[in-house]
Amino acid sequence: MKRRNFIGSVVGGMAVAASSRMAFGYGKDQPVYGHGGLFYRQVPRWGVLDAGRFPVNDCHEMVQDHRGNILLLTNETRNNVVVYDTDGRLVTVWGTEYPGAHGLTIAGEGSDQFLLITDTARHQVYKTTLEGRVLMTIDYPVETGLYQSAEGFVPTETAVAPNGDIYVADGYGQQYILHYDANGKLKRWFGGRGEGDRFLDNAHGVCIDGRIGEPTLLVTDRTRNCFKRFSMEGELLGIIDLPGACVCRPVIHGNRIYAAVLRSPDMGHVNSGFVTILDETGRVISNIGGSEPHYIDGKLQPMRQEVPLFVHPHDVCVDRDENLYVAQWASGKVYPYKFERVAGK
């Protein structure tokens, strides 16, 4: 299978350029960023707290719960989870036991919602309540025969299927996607290191894509600048190439995919991140802090940071009003940034 044959992608050689570029002074003094009808303005000092009482270290991931609160996961063990309201006011903090807190996934409905936390230092995955009570722990998958010790298992992300099955991305370890049932029993695995499209390198993120037809998996292949689509059983279906973008996890909201780009155009360039947004076909339509997406003969041209809004963005959370929250890794212990959606552009 050739990389250009991604199922559902736009083909046929249409050259499409984003219809708009960064504008300034729209409604307020702050600049507006984005392309293709998706524009955002940064909210000054959103979420900034007293660092002496509520410090953060690497701000890895964020989700919104059924109450509308925004949950931030940081590997600062004085408060691993910082809970905000959407105005940036502190609701609560919890968690002191996750030195490698990295991946944060929310699943379930209403009061039955739960979290999955991956810890790269403890080599485990934890299912918890929204208040932090541990419900289940997934240890390293010794039964696969792929791991000689727990240290080889360095999970970075999880996803929960409609039937409750759990997928774990071993993105800093052996690069497998491990498929468990809802009770934590291992069912299968796929991916792993290797050359060829079905293999993965820095399988940093995984999510369930149920937008069209039967659910599929979107998996990050960060060093290869792409997302890969797999069946729920691990068969490679296609590839979304994102040249110049070292993407973190894909986040689906509505019919779009949002992702933090940690670095551009490759992992060797520090302080070079931005946020990218894709439509339902897998076409990039807007970059926040990044260059305007441009296609030639249906092929996306290399992207890069254009405006230094971010250092190393690590995740994007999209709230009910389509505002964005961006958490950053190795960026001077900054609190998350909020970008409000600008209507009427």
Side-chain angles (χ1 to χ4, degrees):
M1 186 186 69
K2 295 183 179 180
R3 291 170 68 90
R4 63 176 178 271
N5 290 336
F6 163 62
I7 293 176
S9 66
V10 173
V11 294
M14 292 189 301
V16 177
S19 60
S20 303
R21 59 175 62 94
M22 186 178 73
F24 291 89
Y26 181 75
K28 295 183 180 180
D29 292 337
Q30 289 79 24
V32 174
Y33 306 98
H35 311 92
L38 291 175
F39 293 89
Y40 303 86
R41 180 189 297 110
Q42 186 172 0
V43 178
R45 293 188 58 77
W46 185 94
V48 175
L49 304 174
D50 179 350
R53 297 177 61 201
F54 308 108
V56 295
N57 189 31
D58 297 312
C59 293
H60 276 131
E61 295 195 339
M62 305 178 76
V63 297
Q64 186 174 35
D65 69 14
H66 69 98
R67 295 166 292 200
N69 290 330
I70 305 296
L71 283 68
L72 164 71
L73 183 72
T74 173
N75 53 10
E76 168 54 67
T77 53
R78 281 177 282 180
N79 39 239
N80 283 128
V81 175
V82 180
V83 183
Y84 294 100
D85 68 15
T86 53
D87 290 325
R89 293 184 292 257
L90 180 67
V91 176
T92 189
V93 298
W94 57 262
T96 59
E97 63 268 43
Y98 304 117
H102 187 279
L104 181 67
T105 299
I106 193 165
E109 298 292 335
S111 60
D112 293 326
Q113 281 189 315
F114 61 89
L115 302 173
L116 289 173
I117 297 172
T118 68
D119 192 305
T120 57
R122 297 181 66 175
H123 310 285
Q124 291 174 312
V125 179
Y126 306 92
K127 178 181 178 180
T128 80
T129 66
L130 295 187
E131 294 72 35
R133 180 168 61 89
V134 175
L135 303 172
M136 180 176 69
T137 301
I138 297 176
D139 292 307
Y140 87 98
V142 62
E143 61 268 47
T144 64
L146 302 171
Y147 297 83
Q148 295 183 355
S149 67
E151 286 67 30
F153 179 56
V154 194
T156 52
E157 191 57 75
T158 58
V160 180
N163 68 352
D165 283 4
I166 298 169
Y167 292 82
V168 178
D170 184 21
Y172 290 161
Q174 300 300 317
Q175 309 301 318
Y176 288 98
I177 306 299
L178 300 130
H179 179 188
Y180 298 84
D181 69 16
N183 297 313
K185 181 180 179 181
L186 186 64
K187 298 174 72 171
R188 63 171 61 87
W189 59 90
F190 60 91
R193 286 195 181 91
E195 297 299 321
D197 287 344
R198 70 182 180 90
F199 296 103
L200 299 165
D201 187 25
N202 203 180
H204 190 270
V206 58
C207 78
I208 310 295
D209 187 355
R211 293 174 296 171
I212 301 174
E214 293 296 317
T216 56
L217 292 165
L218 282 178
V219 179
T220 303
D221 197 335
R222 190 159 67 179
T223 60
R224 294 172 177 142
N225 298 158
C226 66
F227 293 133
K228 292 182 175 178
R229 187 180 298 278
F230 292 88
S231 73
M232 302 301 281
E233 293 74 38
E235 176 190 0
L236 181 66
L237 301 176
I239 297 173
I240 304 176
D241 283 310
L242 298 166
C246 298
V247 283
C248 296
R249 72 163 164 178
V251 174
I252 294 177
H253 182 90
N255 65 353
R256 302 188 188 102
I257 301 171
Y258 300 75
V261 176
L262 188 77
R263 290 178 176 175
S264 65
D266 55 49
M267 290 295 286
H269 288 74
V270 300
N271 307 341
S272 57
F274 59 94
V275 170
T276 191
I277 307 173
L278 292 71
D279 68 13
E280 66 274 13
T281 70
R283 180 180 289 270
V284 176
I285 51 177
S286 185
N287 287 322
I288 315 305
S291 56
E292 184 174 358
H294 183 56
Y295 285 80
I296 297 177
D297 294 331
K299 184 176 181 180
L300 179 63
Q301 301 305 293
M303 300 181 291
R304 67 188 186 283
Q305 184 190 77
E306 189 168 85
V307 181
L309 294 175
F310 310 107
V311 178
H312 295 122
H314 193 272
D315 191 36
V316 181
C317 173
V318 189
D319 72 15
R320 298 167 184 172
D321 297 319
E322 297 193 349
N323 303 307
L324 308 183
Y325 305 80
V326 182
Q328 297 195 75
W329 166 82
S331 300
K333 301 186 179 183
V334 295
Y335 291 92
Y337 295 167
K338 179 178 181 177
F339 288 80
E340 63 179 7
R341 177 80 185 271
V342 176
K345 288 292 290 180

